[in-house]
Amino acid sequence: MIQIELSPMYRQQVLDNTFRKKVRQLTLHLITVLRIDAHGHQLAAFICPGENLDNTELVYDWVKLECCCISCVREVEFKTLQRNFVRWLLDHDVPMGEVQ
């Protein structure tokens, strides 16, 4: 009998779940620290016009791209991630008063 815990598919599933959980935590932390309206659409509409995203989905997608894999997400420093996100916003000419 094969133990599920030893199968490569199971281990990959555990890694994927861990990655998503950590990305979600970083997303919520960024939203909280930068005081972004999590359920609003202002930021998402400004950066991705025409797409039906809320601010949380936009930040989540950005964090997922920034931390491409489980090893990256484990090693990321939050202050560096926060600084890179603010720079990314500024590169899109988002006025910082409009983030909230």
Side-chain angles (χ1 to χ4, degrees):
M1 183 160 97
I2 298 174
Q3 292 183 349
I4 293 176
E5 294 82 17
L6 299 177
S7 72
M9 285 179 60
Y10 176 78
R11 284 185 274 159
Q12 185 61 45
Q13 183 66 35
V14 169
L15 287 176
D16 291 343
N17 289 343
T18 304
F19 175 72
R20 282 193 299 273
K21 181 179 178 182
K22 184 66 175 172
V23 168
R24 189 171 45 251
Q25 289 171 345
L26 289 169
T27 298
L28 294 176
H29 198 60
L30 264 177
I31 287 171
T32 303
V33 168
L34 295 175
R35 292 190 238 149
I36 297 171
D37 179 12
H39 302 289
H41 295 276
Q42 311 91 322
L43 184 61
F46 191 84
I47 293 180
C48 304
E51 291 188 33
N52 190 19
L53 295 174
D54 66 10
N55 295 339
T56 302
E57 292 170 325
L58 177 80
V59 176
Y60 181 85
D61 290 345
W62 182 86
V63 172
K64 199 165 66 169
L65 287 173
E66 193 72 13
C67 305
C68 60
C69 61
I70 190 70
S71 60
C72 292
V73 82
R74 286 180 178 161
E75 295 175 5
V76 71
E77 293 183 21
F78 180 74
K79 288 292 183 186
T80 304
L81 189 70
Q82 180 183 354
R83 186 174 46 247
N84 290 345
F85 184 70
V86 170
R87 284 183 184 152
W88 182 75
L89 290 175
L90 292 173
D91 286 346
H92 285 84
D93 296 325
V94 175
M96 293 316 289
E98 297 295 319
V99 172
Q100 299 180 12

